[in-house]
Amino acid sequence: MALFHDNDEKKKQGIITSKIGIIGGGVSGIAAAKQLRHHNPIVFEATDSIGGVWRHCSFHSTKLQSQRRDYEFTDYPWPNNRDNSDFPTHVEILDYLHSYAQHFDILNNISFNSKVIHIRFLGSASASHDHHYGTLLPARPVWHVAVQNTLSHTIQWYAFEFVVLCIGKYGDIPLIPSFPRSKGPETFKGKVLHTLDYCKLNKEEATQLFKGKNVAVVGFKKSAIDLAMECALANQGAGCEGKKCTMVVRTVHWTVPHYWVWGLPLSMFYTNRSSQFLHERPDQGFLKTLVTLLLSPMRRGMSKFIESYLLWKLPLQKYGLVPDHSFDEDYASCQMAILPENFFSQADKGKIAFKKSSSKWWFWEGGIQFDDNTKVEADVVVLATGYDGKQKLNNIMPEPFRSLLDYPSGSGGVMPLYRGTIHPLIPNMAFVGYVESVANLHSSEIRSLWLSALVDQKFKLPTVPDMLAHTLKEVEVMKRTSRFYKRHCISTYSINHSDQICHDLGWTSWRKSNWIAEAFAHYSSEDYQKQD
């Protein structure tokens, strides 16, 4: 049987037909391409290189936030010819991703300099007629995808039975604050840029941007912290006396110097199976709910135990950087940041300062002003204010699916994704890389494994109402766990989430060799090697 009934007609129209299209060549796109490579997918990457944010949104000092053992493909360990650092640099990560793509011959499936500018739905797939994803791949295209060559600016249309979106939530579109009239960046006499602009500078340009200047960095997450450190290092020596980087901190988050707490590994508290009983998770049943409730004092005590170490180890009280929420909340929302070495030493030297303010702010000609009439003088202002991931999707998704991305209203703005991959109301499409966890590479890989088995019809999805109900339960758990739930992070119940995927795949969910290791040993990506 031909792949498409109307294949000849599509050729006449100049439309290239294929079974699976993957949008994005970052970590998630590479993982999806590898697991679906037996379908010979076409991967569209808007730039000339794989790597996603590691390639295009990294600073010179950017390092991995999770430990190396957690950021590893199950079937491709890190090479031995590298240093022993637990936190590889972004350059090392790119080398690892390129080596992985070459080893599994993924590069031949990637169309570089190919930017997807529009997606068009052709009609209901047969799989969705009875609100049940029975036959996932019909024998005809479901989606048309318009792809622009970024070099020639020509546009080519493709037709696919199934599309996998791997464009992620970060990079590409900066999230810029709104300002009152005549109080925006145009008022400021210095230079204003977003971290996305800073990423494009080479090392010498970045140094010259900061050297001998007062700099304000708006934000206090990982990118802002790295920026402040790079600014402090650029302002060393003669001619830089009195110059500093002021971090404008609106919400303080917990930071950690390393993954050890009072001599104990942080993994002991979150990434072994016994720790999962401390945290609520969706569909846990009455008995597990009761156990979680009874153990809630232990969970709060564990968070206080970690906080006590951080307050002892770091001068958070000295600089007014003690968060008003628990460490548990930051971990549950994937917002815990690793501090660069000697970060607070630079603060002690006066090279890094902190302006904590929950009030509104705007620009004046000499820097930043707050509604309490205080000011921060600056020559350069860098907005480490994040990225607009939802706008990235809105730019290419057609209606009515664009309006369904955060439907129903009970989702609180979180895209409802069954198993972190399938939107129950969007047929023949998957989203990989939109759920955050302890290590996002593993999160993308295991969902790609699950997606590959789904495409190959090794199991069937529940009905649409059942999938929606499950996603709403996940959102409710996240809401009760952290005020920052919209990040869609599953770090506190990631093992249980993987258990559900293993169940769908027909794997045993307990991955260790004995019950002692199962209960107390750290779970990492190597525990999820594919079982044939």
Side-chain angles (χ1 to χ4, degrees), residues 274-290:
S274 60
S275 69
Q276 302 279 286
F277 286 97
L278 299 173
H279 302 278
E280 186 182 0
R281 59 270 194 197
D283 294 330
Q284 61 183 2
F286 174 77
L287 183 59
K288 289 183 179 179
T289 300
L290 181 61

PDB file of all heavy atoms in Angstrom, residues 274-290:
ATOM      1  N   SER A 274      12.439   5.706  47.883  1.00  0.00           N
ATOM      2  CA  SER A 274      11.859   5.936  49.207  1.00  0.00           C
ATOM      3  C   SER A 274      11.474   7.398  49.401  1.00  0.00           C
ATOM      4  O   SER A 274      10.478   7.705  50.071  1.00  0.00           O
ATOM      5  CB  SER A 274      12.833   5.486  50.292  1.00  0.00           C
ATOM      6  OG  SER A 274      14.051   6.206  50.215  1.00  0.00           O
ATOM      7  N   SER A 275      12.247   8.319  48.809  1.00  0.00           N
ATOM      8  CA  SER A 275      11.934   9.739  48.960  1.00  0.00           C
ATOM      9  C   SER A 275      10.629  10.112  48.272  1.00  0.00           C
ATOM     10  O   SER A 275       9.981  11.102  48.640  1.00  0.00           O
ATOM     11  CB  SER A 275      13.073  10.599  48.400  1.00  0.00           C
ATOM     12  OG  SER A 275      13.136  10.487  46.989  1.00  0.00           O
ATOM     13  N   GLN A 276      10.216   9.318  47.280  1.00  0.00           N
ATOM     14  CA  GLN A 276       8.997   9.633  46.543  1.00  0.00           C
ATOM     15  C   GLN A 276       7.746   9.496  47.417  1.00  0.00           C
ATOM     16  O   GLN A 276       6.709  10.083  47.119  1.00  0.00           O
ATOM     17  CB  GLN A 276       8.878   8.735  45.313  1.00  0.00           C
ATOM     18  CG  GLN A 276      10.041   8.832  44.338  1.00  0.00           C
ATOM     19  CD  GLN A 276       9.946  10.023  43.413  1.00  0.00           C
ATOM     20  OE1 GLN A 276       9.157  10.063  42.486  1.00  0.00           O
ATOM     21  NE2 GLN A 276      10.765  11.026  43.676  1.00  0.00           N
ATOM     22  N   PHE A 277       7.844   8.720  48.486  1.00  0.00           N
ATOM     23  CA  PHE A 277       6.695   8.563  49.376  1.00  0.00           C
ATOM     24  C   PHE A 277       6.408   9.838  50.171  1.00  0.00           C
ATOM     25  O   PHE A 277       5.320   9.990  50.721  1.00  0.00           O
ATOM     26  CB  PHE A 277       6.939   7.392  50.341  1.00  0.00           C
ATOM     27  CG  PHE A 277       6.806   6.053  49.701  1.00  0.00           C
ATOM     28  CD1 PHE A 277       7.917   5.366  49.241  1.00  0.00           C
ATOM     29  CD2 PHE A 277       5.552   5.463  49.535  1.00  0.00           C
ATOM     30  CE1 PHE A 277       7.799   4.121  48.638  1.00  0.00           C
ATOM     31  CE2 PHE A 277       5.426   4.220  48.931  1.00  0.00           C
ATOM     32  CZ  PHE A 277       6.544   3.542  48.484  1.00  0.00           C
ATOM     33  N   LEU A 278       7.389  10.735  50.209  1.00  0.00           N
ATOM     34  CA  LEU A 278       7.203  11.974  50.947  1.00  0.00           C
ATOM     35  C   LEU A 278       6.397  12.995  50.161  1.00  0.00           C
ATOM     36  O   LEU A 278       5.870  13.947  50.741  1.00  0.00           O
ATOM     37  CB  LEU A 278       8.558  12.582  51.315  1.00  0.00           C
ATOM     38  CG  LEU A 278       9.476  11.752  52.217  1.00  0.00           C
ATOM     39  CD1 LEU A 278      10.826  12.438  52.333  1.00  0.00           C
ATOM     40  CD2 LEU A 278       8.854  11.547  53.583  1.00  0.00           C
ATOM     41  N   HIS A 279       6.318  12.800  48.849  1.00  0.00           N
ATOM     42  CA  HIS A 279       5.743  13.827  47.984  1.00  0.00           C
ATOM     43  C   HIS A 279       4.481  13.320  47.294  1.00  0.00           C
ATOM     44  O   HIS A 279       4.426  12.190  46.815  1.00  0.00           O
ATOM     45  CB  HIS A 279       6.769  14.266  46.932  1.00  0.00           C
ATOM     46  CG  HIS A 279       8.041  14.781  47.535  1.00  0.00           C
ATOM     47  ND1 HIS A 279       8.178  16.059  47.992  1.00  0.00           N
ATOM     48  CD2 HIS A 279       9.228  14.158  47.766  1.00  0.00           C
ATOM     49  CE1 HIS A 279       9.397  16.228  48.482  1.00  0.00           C
ATOM     50  NE2 HIS A 279      10.063  15.085  48.352  1.00  0.00           N
ATOM     51  N   GLU A 280       3.506  14.189  47.210  1.00  0.00           N
ATOM     52  CA  GLU A 280       2.252  13.843  46.542  1.00  0.00           C
ATOM     53  C   GLU A 280       2.485  13.662  45.049  1.00  0.00           C
ATOM     54  O   GLU A 280       3.315  14.333  44.440  1.00  0.00           O
ATOM     55  CB  GLU A 280       1.230  14.960  46.783  1.00  0.00           C
ATOM     56  CG  GLU A 280      -0.153  14.653  46.254  1.00  0.00           C
ATOM     57  CD  GLU A 280      -1.123  15.794  46.478  1.00  0.00           C
ATOM     58  OE1 GLU A 280      -0.709  16.828  47.050  1.00  0.00           O
ATOM     59  OE2 GLU A 280      -2.291  15.660  46.071  1.00  0.00           O
ATOM     60  N   ARG A 281       1.737  12.751  44.461  1.00  0.00           N
ATOM     61  CA  ARG A 281       1.776  12.566  43.018  1.00  0.00           C
ATOM     62  C   ARG A 281       0.375  12.202  42.520  1.00  0.00           C
ATOM     63  O   ARG A 281      -0.472  11.766  43.295  1.00  0.00           O
ATOM     64  CB  ARG A 281       2.781  11.506  42.593  1.00  0.00           C
ATOM     65  CG  ARG A 281       2.561  10.106  43.153  1.00  0.00           C
ATOM     66  CD  ARG A 281       3.278   9.893  44.445  1.00  0.00           C
ATOM     67  NE  ARG A 281       3.352   8.490  44.821  1.00  0.00           N
ATOM     68  CZ  ARG A 281       3.646   8.097  46.067  1.00  0.00           C
ATOM     69  NH1 ARG A 281       3.866   8.985  47.021  1.00  0.00           N
ATOM     70  NH2 ARG A 281       3.723   6.813  46.356  1.00  0.00           N
ATOM     71  N   PRO A 282       0.118  12.364  41.235  1.00  0.00           N
ATOM     72  CA  PRO A 282      -1.215  12.094  40.696  1.00  0.00           C
ATOM     73  C   PRO A 282      -1.569  10.601  40.790  1.00  0.00           C
ATOM     74  O   PRO A 282      -0.698   9.730  40.726  1.00  0.00           O
ATOM     75  CB  PRO A 282      -1.106  12.536  39.230  1.00  0.00           C
ATOM     76  CG  PRO A 282       0.091  13.415  39.173  1.00  0.00           C
ATOM     77  CD  PRO A 282       1.021  12.905  40.222  1.00  0.00           C
ATOM     78  N   ASP A 283      -2.865  10.315  40.932  1.00  0.00           N
ATOM     79  CA  ASP A 283      -3.368   8.933  40.920  1.00  0.00           C
ATOM     80  C   ASP A 283      -2.654   8.047  41.931  1.00  0.00           C
ATOM     81  O   ASP A 283      -2.353   6.880  41.653  1.00  0.00           O
ATOM     82  CB  ASP A 283      -3.241   8.330  39.508  1.00  0.00           C
ATOM     83  CG  ASP A 283      -4.151   9.022  38.501  1.00  0.00           C
ATOM     84  OD1 ASP A 283      -5.215   9.509  38.912  1.00  0.00           O
ATOM     85  OD2 ASP A 283      -3.773   9.070  37.324  1.00  0.00           O
ATOM     86  N   GLN A 284      -2.397   8.542  43.122  1.00  0.00           N
ATOM     87  CA  GLN A 284      -1.630   7.746  44.078  1.00  0.00           C
ATOM     88  C   GLN A 284      -2.509   6.851  44.953  1.00  0.00           C
ATOM     89  O   GLN A 284      -1.992   6.022  45.688  1.00  0.00           O
ATOM     90  CB  GLN A 284      -0.793   8.660  44.960  1.00  0.00           C
ATOM     91  CG  GLN A 284      -1.577   9.647  45.800  1.00  0.00           C
ATOM     92  CD  GLN A 284      -0.660  10.575  46.591  1.00  0.00           C
ATOM     93  OE1 GLN A 284       0.569  10.518  46.482  1.00  0.00           O
ATOM     94  NE2 GLN A 284      -1.243  11.434  47.397  1.00  0.00           N
ATOM     95  N   GLY A 285      -3.832   6.999  44.883  1.00  0.00           N
ATOM     96  CA  GLY A 285      -4.702   6.123  45.650  1.00  0.00           C
ATOM     97  C   GLY A 285      -4.809   6.539  47.111  1.00  0.00           C
ATOM     98  O   GLY A 285      -4.023   7.343  47.617  1.00  0.00           O
ATOM     99  N   PHE A 286      -5.771   5.945  47.802  1.00  0.00           N
ATOM    100  CA  PHE A 286      -6.055   6.347  49.182  1.00  0.00           C
ATOM    101  C   PHE A 286      -4.899   6.032  50.126  1.00  0.00           C
ATOM    102  O   PHE A 286      -4.499   6.866  50.937  1.00  0.00           O
ATOM    103  CB  PHE A 286      -7.323   5.645  49.684  1.00  0.00           C
ATOM    104  CG  PHE A 286      -7.607   5.889  51.142  1.00  0.00           C
ATOM    105  CD1 PHE A 286      -8.143   7.095  51.569  1.00  0.00           C
ATOM    106  CD2 PHE A 286      -7.310   4.912  52.091  1.00  0.00           C
ATOM    107  CE1 PHE A 286      -8.381   7.332  52.912  1.00  0.00           C
ATOM    108  CE2 PHE A 286      -7.551   5.141  53.442  1.00  0.00           C
ATOM    109  CZ  PHE A 286      -8.091   6.354  53.845  1.00  0.00           C
ATOM    110  N   LEU A 287      -4.343   4.810  50.030  1.00  0.00           N
ATOM    111  CA  LEU A 287      -3.295   4.395  50.950  1.00  0.00           C
ATOM    112  C   LEU A 287      -2.052   5.268  50.802  1.00  0.00           C
ATOM    113  O   LEU A 287      -1.484   5.728  51.803  1.00  0.00           O
ATOM    114  CB  LEU A 287      -2.943   2.921  50.727  1.00  0.00           C
ATOM    115  CG  LEU A 287      -1.894   2.326  51.677  1.00  0.00           C
ATOM    116  CD1 LEU A 287      -2.372   2.450  53.128  1.00  0.00           C
ATOM    117  CD2 LEU A 287      -1.605   0.866  51.323  1.00  0.00           C
ATOM    118  N   LYS A 288      -1.628   5.516  49.567  1.00  0.00           N
ATOM    119  CA  LYS A 288      -0.441   6.341  49.346  1.00  0.00           C
ATOM    120  C   LYS A 288      -0.708   7.792  49.753  1.00  0.00           C
ATOM    121  O   LYS A 288       0.206   8.474  50.241  1.00  0.00           O
ATOM    122  CB  LYS A 288      -0.011   6.268  47.881  1.00  0.00           C
ATOM    123  CG  LYS A 288       0.581   4.915  47.500  1.00  0.00           C
ATOM    124  CD  LYS A 288       1.060   4.902  46.063  1.00  0.00           C
ATOM    125  CE  LYS A 288       1.677   3.541  45.699  1.00  0.00           C
ATOM    126  NZ  LYS A 288       2.122   3.495  44.289  1.00  0.00           N
ATOM    127  N   THR A 289      -1.946   8.250  49.563  1.00  0.00           N
ATOM    128  CA  THR A 289      -2.294   9.596  50.004  1.00  0.00           C
ATOM    129  C   THR A 289      -2.180   9.707  51.519  1.00  0.00           C
ATOM    130  O   THR A 289      -1.658  10.694  52.055  1.00  0.00           O
ATOM    131  CB  THR A 289      -3.727   9.952  49.561  1.00  0.00           C
ATOM    132  OG1 THR A 289      -3.811   9.894  48.131  1.00  0.00           O
ATOM    133  CG2 THR A 289      -4.115  11.352  50.033  1.00  0.00           C
ATOM    134  N   LEU A 290      -2.635   8.676  52.214  1.00  0.00           N
ATOM    135  CA  LEU A 290      -2.551   8.652  53.672  1.00  0.00           C
ATOM    136  C   LEU A 290      -1.100   8.642  54.130  1.00  0.00           C
ATOM    137  O   LEU A 290      -0.721   9.363  55.067  1.00  0.00           O
ATOM    138  CB  LEU A 290      -3.305   7.438  54.219  1.00  0.00           C
ATOM    139  CG  LEU A 290      -3.332   7.285  55.748  1.00  0.00           C
ATOM    140  CD1 LEU A 290      -4.023   8.482  56.390  1.00  0.00           C
ATOM    141  CD2 LEU A 290      -4.024   5.978  56.145  1.00  0.00           C
TER     142      LEU A 290
END
